Amino acid sequence: MTTKTLTEQTGARTDEAASLIGAARERIDALDDRIIGLIQERVAISAVIQEARISSGGRRVNLAREMDVLAHYRDALGKPGTALAMTMLELCRGRI
């Protein structure tokens, strides 16, 4: 197995650009880890809410609340924000 140089790994044409890209990718990886952790925390909190709602005789999902969440993400991130929110809501549903 051959080891690729940083320039080959990043697709950059200079060592300076490759170094910049490598450092930025490390920051992105750290952000992704934090985002995943926050989503996992959101899933856990959603389960508590769903359990309380069901225990009180309500429905597992509150569609009006989900529409608010979708609008919030759309307003902040545009159309792709809606798709992101849909995926997040899907992750949070039915975990109990």
Side-chain angles (χ1 to χ4, degrees):
M1 185 167 113
T2 60
T3 304
K4 292 183 177 182
T5 66
L6 188 56
T7 304
E8 291 170 328
Q9 291 173 9
T10 62
R13 297 201 180 247
T14 66
D15 289 341
E16 181 181 349
S19 180
L20 179 87
I21 292 167
R25 283 182 177 174
E26 287 179 15
R27 290 176 55 204
I28 286 174
D29 290 345
L31 287 168
D32 286 344
D33 288 342
R34 288 173 45 199
I35 291 166
I36 290 167
L38 289 170
I39 291 172
Q40 289 170 332
E41 184 177 351
R42 191 186 195 290
V43 168
I45 294 168
S46 292
V48 169
I49 291 168
Q50 289 175 49
E51 180 64 41
R53 194 179 296 122
I54 291 168
S55 295
S56 71
R59 297 179 58 151
R60 179 175 54 86
V61 175
N62 181 330
L63 296 178
R65 170 65 179 155
E66 289 195 358
M67 294 305 292
D68 291 341
V69 171
L70 291 170
H72 181 71
Y73 274 70
R74 183 194 62 241
D75 292 346
L77 302 171
K79 186 177 178 183
T82 303
L84 177 62
M86 286 295 294
T87 299
M88 185 190 56
L89 290 170
E90 183 179 342
L91 287 168
C92 292
R93 286 186 203 120
R95 297 293 186 161
I96 56 174

